[in-house]
Amino acid sequence: MGILGTMALVSAATVFLSIRATTGSQHRAVVVEVAARQRTLTERYLNDVMLVRAGARAAPGTTAMLLRRSADALLHGGLAPAVNGDDDEAHVAATTNPTVHSQLEQERRLIGDLTRSGAALLANRPLASVELAAGEHPGAIGDVARLRVLAALTSNVSLNAARTFAREADANVNSLIATQVALGAAGLLISVLLALALVAATRRQTAHFRSLVTSSTDLVVLFSGGGCRYVSEPVTDLTGRAEADLLGDRFLELVHEDDRAAVIDAGEQAQPRVLLFRLMDRFGVWRQVEAHLTDLRGDRHLRGVVFNARDISERMRLESELTRQAFYDVLTNLPNRALFRDRLAQGLARSRRARTSLAVLLLDLDGFKQVNDSLGHDAGDQLLREVAERFAEVVRPTDTLARLGGDEFTLLVEGAAEDEALLVAQRLLQSLGDPFSVSGRELRMGSSIGIVVSSGGKAGTEDLIRDADVAMYAAKESGRGRYQLYHPDMALELGEQLGLEQDLRDALKNGELSVHYQPEVSLKDEGIVGVEALLRWTSPKRGSVSPAQFIPIAEETGLIFDLGEFVLDEACRQAAQWRADGILPDDFVVWVNVSGKQLAVGGVNGLVRRALEDSGLPPQQLGLEVTETAIVSGAPGERARGELELLHTLGVRVAIDDFGTGFSALGQLRHFPIDMLKVDRSFVQGLETDARDAAIVANVVSLAHSLGVPAIAEGIETSSQLDSVRAVDCDLAQGFLFARPSAPAEITALLEAARARAAPTPPAPTPPAPASR
């Protein structure tokens, strides 16, 4: 009975202790799993932040929440949340081990530092401004590197806590083994067998715990005694070599020769804590490896330095791509605006120290917008790439050629004085001399170049770029396809133009603009047959502003569309009023100038129809004057012809203004609806002194008659000029000799007077017969 009782007691105690140990082991397994996955969550949070910075979709906030809640559960007990694609939620008890408690407290502080730093990085705030609670000092490093260091520290603390949990499990197992051995020594064979069975089960459980910590995707390498003593399975998978072929010095054979000394030193000294080196994989490709070093030389079981490493090649590639996108133009692979400014700032600093000069050239392609509009943006992109290649061929390797955006390029030439900068500009223009083959077409491109030279003065990067931009616009104004060297007067002129543009915008809003009219007369009887509507601006602070000043600015800034609509509406309204007053001749036409830009963009047909409908003016009494540049070939010319044909069918008259000064081919006149040709005033002014001008006037009049339309001579100021245009059989005339452009009230008086002269004179009364005597 005693033996049986002993056996029963021993068996009962053994079973009780086994059940208790197994239950505790299962709970510790859960704790170890939760602790071990903290490292995985830390790496996931770092990757989420990097993905969001790269423009991808990720949820670093969710990962941060899982990190914090899991740490709280490990420290105080409770429900550890589930991790998508990893573990389910689990209940864990609060830790009672002071060491683990201290490690988990440090982990919580590091998690707080990591997540606050990640949020600051995503908000583009400097990480140096984030107060660190964990007592770690990353040092003066970049924001991304700082975040990686915090992630590595958090990961290592998580790993240490998991190891401590595992060591607790080992200690409990060892205690259980001792107890079972004692019970087995006091009991019978069955107790010993039961103890051995429990030991075997416990060892299997311990191996499971150990695998949770040590078996991962990390590349684990142990260095001890000057060589490699252990490599994990992922290392053999990456290198394609067996473990035996990597021990000793043979592992170092796969390390890049430039990094080998650092790896050897780190394996001996366990410093630095994070090491980057290159390792050759099974395909002979160098992989970027980031290793976190753990000094276990004091551990009697290992006595070495453990490298916990990961292959970060893809991450490095992504970071390199992000850097390239941040500082290089995607289309041309040239430096972008940000990188150019940085290099210009460095160049200025070197220039001031060495007391040398440097030049900045800003280039804008002439006519690039027309390429985009007519051939499409793909063709425009192809053209920009080819232009960038030609520019790169004629600059020095030490120069910085960049694309600022659109069709603007800029060039930094260090050590260049004015003469050298001008030679560079000449080479750049010459590189565009040969035509470009784009979308099956041969295109010739020019460029306007602004040049500014700095001799180590106080001008900053923005000042130089602005001055080069001003000089570039001056080059465009002077005829395009050329370069201009900046001088301070250019900035004053540009400031005046900007002020004039703003005042013109205000004038349109404030009612400072008005329409005057200049009569057109028939050379047969000098009767008024029409008027030309001319825009006038009287500014409260500038006085009377000449159209020669503000019309070019309106053309350049797009204000010409609003001004053209204003003149059209006013002219139609005024002509309709004169018609209602009964003072207009039957064939009277009010002529309105239409910008070539308005016709090229389109929409003039709709504007004219609306103005006619609103005013009630018959279409036959409205004429549109267009310049020769509006009827050139190509897409803009086709659009202009379509607009004019629709209006001409409606009854609106069309005149070619300033004829003889443009570059239209005579064959193009056949395809446009034309009711009149206007001889430019420059030829009329030279009638009396230049035989060539007289010949041009005669030929234009002859051409008009050949086309079956009248010709009108502009700018008649003297009687001799009038006699000359009459001598070549010109039909109509316009100029100061007849009347200056005048306000509507003065034109009304002229029309009324002309109407009165044209009225039939009533017969004189018959005198009474003399009285007979």
Side-chain angles (χ1 to χ4, degrees), residues 443-560:
L443 301 178
R444 290 192 177 274
M445 294 299 299
S447 178
S448 298
I449 306 177
I451 308 169
V452 60
V453 177
S454 172
S455 300
K458 296 182 179 180
T461 58
E462 294 301 321
D463 298 327
L464 293 180
I465 295 174
R466 182 199 60 219
D467 293 345
D469 194 45
V470 170
M472 183 271 292
Y473 277 107
K476 280 192 179 293
E477 289 293 328
S478 62
R480 302 191 175 193
R482 60 188 64 198
Y483 53 83
Q484 285 284 350
L485 188 65
Y486 173 80
H487 57 80
D489 292 343
M490 288 180 177
L492 297 177
E493 294 170 5
L494 180 61
E496 173 62 21
Q497 289 183 350
L498 292 175
L500 193 62
E501 175 190 346
Q502 185 56 48
D503 288 349
L504 183 56
R505 293 183 184 276
D506 294 338
L508 192 59
K509 297 177 183 178
N510 301 332
E512 299 172 14
L513 302 175
S514 61
V515 178
H516 285 198
Y517 303 88
Q518 187 173 30
E520 297 177 349
V521 300
S522 170
L523 292 182
K524 291 182 179 179
D525 55 12
E526 296 191 8
I528 298 177
V529 296
V531 291
E532 180 182 1
L534 300 169
L535 185 62
R536 293 295 182 263
W537 176 19
T538 303
S539 169
K541 64 179 182 181
R542 295 178 181 270
S544 180
V545 184
S546 169
Q549 287 182 270
F550 68 82
I551 292 297
I553 292 178
E555 289 272 2
E556 182 178 342
T557 60
L559 278 172
I560 194 66

Side-chain angles (χ1 to χ4, degrees), residues 134-346:
E136 300 293 342
H137 303 285
I141 58 177
D143 287 349
V144 174
R146 186 185 183 96
L147 187 66
R148 290 202 199 96
V149 170
L150 290 175
L153 292 172
T154 306
S155 180
N156 284 341
V157 172
S158 301
L159 181 61
N160 290 337
R163 285 174 174 164
T164 305
F165 279 122
R167 283 195 292 269
E168 278 190 331
D170 289 342
N172 290 332
V173 170
N174 292 333
S175 176
L176 176 61
I177 292 173
T179 302
Q180 289 177 336
V181 170
L183 288 173
L188 299 173
L189 181 59
I190 187 170
S191 300
V192 175
L193 295 175
L194 289 173
L196 293 175
L198 286 174
V199 168
T202 304
R203 283 178 176 170
R204 286 195 299 270
Q205 190 71 37
T206 302
H208 173 65
F209 298 155
R210 194 177 303 279
S211 68
L212 291 175
V213 177
T214 60
S215 298
S216 67
T217 58
D218 282 3
L219 309 173
V220 181
V221 182
L222 173 64
F223 281 92
S224 178
C228 176
R229 281 181 46 201
Y230 167 79
V231 294
S232 64
E233 185 177 346
V235 178
T236 61
D237 292 341
L238 178 67
T239 60
R241 298 194 183 187
E243 181 179 358
D245 296 330
L246 295 173
L247 300 181
D249 293 335
R250 282 169 288 185
F251 176 83
L252 294 173
E253 295 174 1
L254 300 179
V255 177
H256 195 282
E257 61 180 354
D258 294 340
D259 302 331
R260 199 169 294 158
V263 172
I264 294 173
D265 186 64
E268 295 174 352
Q269 305 297 329
Q271 291 292 336
R273 291 298 183 182
V274 179
L275 178 67
L276 293 176
F277 62 93
R278 286 160 287 182
L279 184 67
M280 183 181 293
D281 66 9
R282 64 173 66 202
F283 304 107
V285 177
W286 293 110
R287 311 293 293 182
Q288 292 284 347
V289 176
E290 180 183 65
H292 297 269
L293 277 59
T294 304
D295 188 359
L296 296 178
R297 289 176 295 178
D299 190 315
R300 61 187 180 88
H301 299 293
L302 295 178
R303 298 193 183 281
V305 178
V306 177
F307 284 47
N308 288 291
R310 288 196 173 185
D311 181 359
I312 60 170
S313 301
E314 288 303 312
R315 193 178 78 193
M316 296 287 286
R317 185 196 62 78
L318 177 60
E319 291 177 359
S320 176
E321 178 64 19
L322 290 175
T323 301
R324 193 189 69 81
Q325 292 180 8
F327 294 105
Y328 287 87
D329 176 55
V330 176
L331 181 64
T332 62
N333 287 325
L334 294 177
N336 62 10
R337 182 185 295 269
L339 183 55
F340 180 79
R341 287 178 175 173
D342 179 69
R343 291 188 179 176
L344 178 56
Q346 296 178 27

Side-chain angles (χ1 to χ4, degrees), residues 515-666:
V515 178
H516 285 198
Y517 303 88
Q518 187 173 30
E520 297 177 349
V521 300
S522 170
L523 292 182
K524 291 182 179 179
D525 55 12
E526 296 191 8
I528 298 177
V529 296
V531 291
E532 180 182 1
L534 300 169
L535 185 62
R536 293 295 182 263
W537 176 19
T538 303
S539 169
K541 64 179 182 181
R542 295 178 181 270
S544 180
V545 184
S546 169
Q549 287 182 270
F550 68 82
I551 292 297
I553 292 178
E555 289 272 2
E556 182 178 342
T557 60
L559 278 172
I560 194 66
F561 297 101
D562 294 331
L563 297 182
E565 185 175 356
F566 170 77
V567 174
L568 178 65
D569 289 341
E570 281 295 306
C572 289
R573 183 196 60 76
Q574 183 61 61
Q577 181 62 50
W578 286 330
R579 182 172 180 271
D581 293 341
I583 59 175
L584 291 185
D586 295 336
D587 58 351
F588 184 90
V589 179
V590 57
W591 294 90
V592 177
N593 291 283
V594 178
S595 166
K597 280 192 174 182
Q598 291 175 279
L599 284 172
V601 170
V604 172
N605 178 43
L607 287 177
V608 171
R609 289 176 182 269
R610 180 192 55 76
L612 291 173
E613 182 179 351
D614 291 347
S615 63
L617 182 70
Q620 294 77 11
Q621 291 195 304
L622 175 64
L624 302 180
E625 295 188 8
V626 298
T627 61
E628 281 187 86
T629 55
I631 62 172
V632 295
S633 60
E638 290 298 320
R639 191 177 296 113
R641 184 177 69 177
E643 295 267 10
L644 295 176
E645 284 180 345
L646 289 173
L647 293 173
H648 197 260
T649 302
L650 184 66
V652 176
R653 311 291 184 88
V654 178
I656 303 298
D657 193 15
D658 301 334
F659 190 79
T661 62
F663 48 86
S664 63
L666 295 179

